[in-house]
Amino acid sequence: MTRLRLWPRSLQGQVLLAIALALLVAQTISAILLWREQNHRREVSMVSSAAFRLIGPSPEERRHRRRDGDDRPPAPFRIEHSQASLQRPGERRLPRVEHELAEVLNAQGVETAEVLVFERDPMRDGPSIEFWNRNRRKLQLVSKEPMPRLVIASIRSPAGDWTSTRVFTEGGEFRVLAPLVGQTIVLYLILVGTMALILRHMARPLKALTRRVDDFAGNRTLEGQLQPDGPEDIQGLIVAHNAMEARIVAMLDEKDVMLGAIGHDLKTPLAALRVRIEAVEDDAERARMAATIEDINRSLDDILSLARVGRPSDPLEPTELSALVADVIGEFEDMGEPVELGDTDRVALPVRATWMRRALRNLVSNAMRYGERARITLAREGREAVLRIEDDGPGIPEHEITRMMEPFTRLEASRNSGTGGTGLGLTLARAIADQHGGTLALSNRRGADGTIQGLTAVLRLPIG
């Protein structure tokens, strides 16, 4: 099951996402603070309006109103007296407003047994609808909302009577959040866009450096050096990499020259010794001496091949891998060796044929040396060509499998070529697999009862 990756892998993506998240958190906190401030102002306005209406005008104001023939404000602001609370089931109370209103009334000397403040849908309140219809034009000039919110404040006197008033208040949430959302979008476009351009300028030389390192690690032929680009710090990194790359190339060239000289200086006296032993009259002694010289030559060839595998001179060429495998198996069959070619799929991929033949020969020889026979199959699995070499030998202890890939490592204590060679065959095969971007793995093959029935070497090569 594939897990969804929400966090990007690239440096540019991670920095941009971190900035976006930080900006989102900051804007969220700002929105909460603004909403709380707006809500507090609305509550203060409701408390002031409700307290002013419930306390009522002063005696002097009443006399003036009676004289003018108007003793009550227009609905729904008129005071309403009732024997029971006006609250209906399901209407939400506002505890904070109730507490603040009670404090204001107590400070003005108004005795209350209970203070009740709740919200009501103005479209379900007759006095509010009547007031809205009569004053629609005036209210639309001061309010952009289709219908303000209605809050009813009621107080119960010690005698048990209820006095109530209605207060219209603005909702305010969308008016506060809408500018903030617009501000956030503008900040995202400016800040994230600017950072994207800066990070792109920084990431471009880093990507070029990454490709250069991959090409160098993949034994690809490189021309020239990478030009320093980007910020000063990244330019310094590229300059340091160029110096390191030049030093490594010089060391590898020096190694190739040294190995060539060693190979020439050692093989020449070995050839002379091979000629001189022909004068030895004892046939058994002469055969042992010739076998020793051949063992030295074989060890020398393996060492030189292992040292040069990281610097191949031949290019990658499109090759029919199944045909190459058949040719190598045919060589063993011509020598009467117990090899068996199983199912093979037609797989074409770019390889260095000479090195791939060497790896396959080493794996088949190893299987026959320790497992008496070798069975080879080739299959295409997804985007990989999988080559399996199986034997019927005793296998390898699990804790020794990893160590068997190391140079000059054998399970036997002896160094006799007849029992295992130089101990470089698997190491060289793994190096050749790495050279082609593939892998080599060893595993014991077990039967139904759990006993080891042989060893399997799996060589995987990428296709394309």
Side-chain angles (χ1 to χ4, degrees):
M1 181 178 179
T2 303
R3 296 181 61 184
L4 180 63
R5 292 183 178 272
L6 298 179
W7 190 259
R9 295 184 177 182
S10 66
L11 173 64
Q12 181 177 358
Q14 291 181 6
V15 174
L16 289 179
L17 182 58
I19 292 175
L21 292 176
L23 183 58
L24 179 62
V25 172
Q27 291 298 96
T28 301
I29 295 175
S30 178
I32 293 174
L33 294 178
L34 286 175
W35 180 85
R36 291 182 61 182
E37 179 63 23
Q38 179 71 14
N39 193 50
H40 178 68
R41 288 203 305 267
R42 188 170 61 250
E43 290 178 353
V44 171
S45 175
M46 285 188 292
V47 170
S48 300
S49 299
F52 176 77
R53 294 165 191 166
L54 290 173
I55 294 173
S58 63
E60 183 178 356
E61 291 177 339
R62 289 195 183 95
R63 286 195 298 270
H64 284 296
R65 289 187 178 182
R66 290 193 188 98
R67 185 175 57 194
D68 297 336
D70 184 11
D71 190 31
R72 55 178 188 172
F77 301 123
R78 66 168 63 100
I79 299 298
E80 183 175 343
H81 299 281
S82 61
Q83 296 298 321
S85 171
L86 298 182
Q87 186 181 16
R88 300 170 184 171
E91 293 179 337
R92 185 171 67 93
R93 295 181 60 175
L94 304 177
R96 290 178 54 181
V97 179
E98 292 176 350
H99 177 71
E100 294 178 7
L101 180 58
E103 290 184 347
V104 172
L105 294 175
N106 291 334
Q108 296 296 324
V110 178
E111 295 184 3
T112 59
E114 182 180 358
V115 175
L116 180 63
V117 181
F118 56 91
E119 286 186 323
R120 175 176 292 176
D121 182 1
M123 302 307 296
R124 298 177 58 188
D125 185 69
S128 298
I129 296 176
E130 178 185 355
F131 176 81
W132 178 259
N133 290 334
R134 288 193 296 106
N135 301 274
R136 182 183 303 240
R137 292 184 179 179
K138 295 180 180 180
L139 292 175
Q140 286 178 345
L141 295 176
V142 297
S143 175
K144 297 181 180 180
E145 296 187 5
M147 191 71 171
R149 295 171 60 180
L150 173 63
V151 174
I152 299 178
S154 302
I155 57 174
R156 183 166 59 88
S157 65
D161 297 331
W162 286 89
T163 303
S164 304
T165 186
R166 290 170 173 80
V167 177
F168 277 147
T169 178
E170 298 288 346
E173 289 85 353
F174 292 104
R175 289 191 302 163
V176 173
L177 295 179
L180 191 63
V181 171
Q183 178 187 10
T184 303
I185 294 175
V186 173
L187 285 176
Y188 267 103
L189 292 177
I190 296 177
L191 182 59
V192 178
T194 303
M195 288 302 302
L197 294 177
I198 296 175
L199 291 173
R200 183 179 179 183
H201 178 68
M202 295 174 56
R204 185 173 61 251
L206 288 177
K207 291 180 179 178
L209 179 59
T210 301
R211 289 193 297 269
R212 180 80 178 190
V213 173
D214 288 340
D215 292 342
F216 188 75
N219 301 314
R220 297 183 178 94
T221 302
L222 303 178
E223 296 181 0
Q225 287 189 327
L226 187 62
Q227 294 299 321
D229 191 14
E232 184 178 349
D233 296 339
I234 297 180
Q235 290 186 19
L237 176 62
I238 295 176
V239 171
H241 169 267
N242 288 338
M244 180 187 68
E245 182 181 298
R247 177 60 177 162
I248 293 175
V249 170
M251 293 175 62
L252 292 175
D253 291 338
E254 183 180 351
K255 180 204 69 173
D256 290 343
V257 173
M258 179 185 65
L259 289 175
I262 291 175
H264 179 270
D265 292 345
L266 288 181
K267 286 193 174 184
T268 299
L270 287 174
L273 286 175
R274 186 70 180 84
V275 173
R276 292 179 182 179
I277 65 173
E278 297 298 329
V280 177
E281 297 181 356
D282 189 339
D283 294 340
E285 185 66 22
R286 185 172 62 250
R288 284 195 295 270
M289 295 173 65
T292 301
I293 294 175
E294 186 63 26
D295 185 23
I296 296 174
N297 271 317
R298 199 161 44 243
S299 299
L300 184 60
D301 288 339
D302 288 342
I303 293 172
L304 294 178
S305 297
L306 182 61
R308 289 171 178 162
V309 70
R311 301 261 291 176
S313 58
D314 51 333
L316 292 169
E317 296 180 349
T319 304
E320 179 63 50
L321 191 58
S322 56
L324 186 148
V325 173
D327 289 343
V328 173
I329 301 305
E331 296 174 3
F332 285 94
E333 290 177 340
D334 293 341
M335 293 184 293
E337 299 289 351
V339 294
E340 176 184 343
L341 182 60
D343 296 335
T344 58
D345 295 339
R346 293 180 59 86
V347 181
L349 69 163
V351 298
R352 295 180 173 89
T354 302
W355 290 102
M356 191 55 59
R357 290 175 184 272
R358 183 69 178 272
L360 186 56
R361 291 192 188 104
N362 286 356
L363 293 174
V364 174
S365 298
N366 190 76
M368 290 188 302
R369 180 178 298 115
Y370 294 102
E372 299 179 357
R373 63 176 58 250
R375 291 183 297 278
I376 300 91
T377 60
L378 174 63
R380 177 193 292 266
E381 296 181 3
R383 299 296 301 170
E384 290 182 329
V386 181
L387 186 65
R388 289 183 172 85
I389 298 94
E390 299 179 349
D391 62 43
D392 297 330
I396 300 176
E398 297 293 339
H399 65 280
E400 296 283 354
I401 290 180
T402 302
R403 192 174 67 88
M404 289 303 298
M405 294 289 189
E406 298 176 1
F408 305 107
T409 300
R410 292 174 47 207
L411 291 179
E412 296 93 344
S414 69
R415 301 288 298 170
N416 191 297
S417 61
T419 61
T422 61
L424 291 175
L426 290 176
T427 304
L428 184 57
R430 185 182 64 174
I432 295 172
D434 293 340
Q435 177 192 96
H436 289 81
T439 60
L440 174 64
L442 303 179
S443 62
N444 290 314
R445 192 176 70 260
R446 298 181 180 274
D449 57 353
T451 59
I452 297 178
Q453 296 184 344
L455 185 72
T456 301
V458 181
L459 177 62
R460 294 180 179 271
L461 300 173
I463 300 175

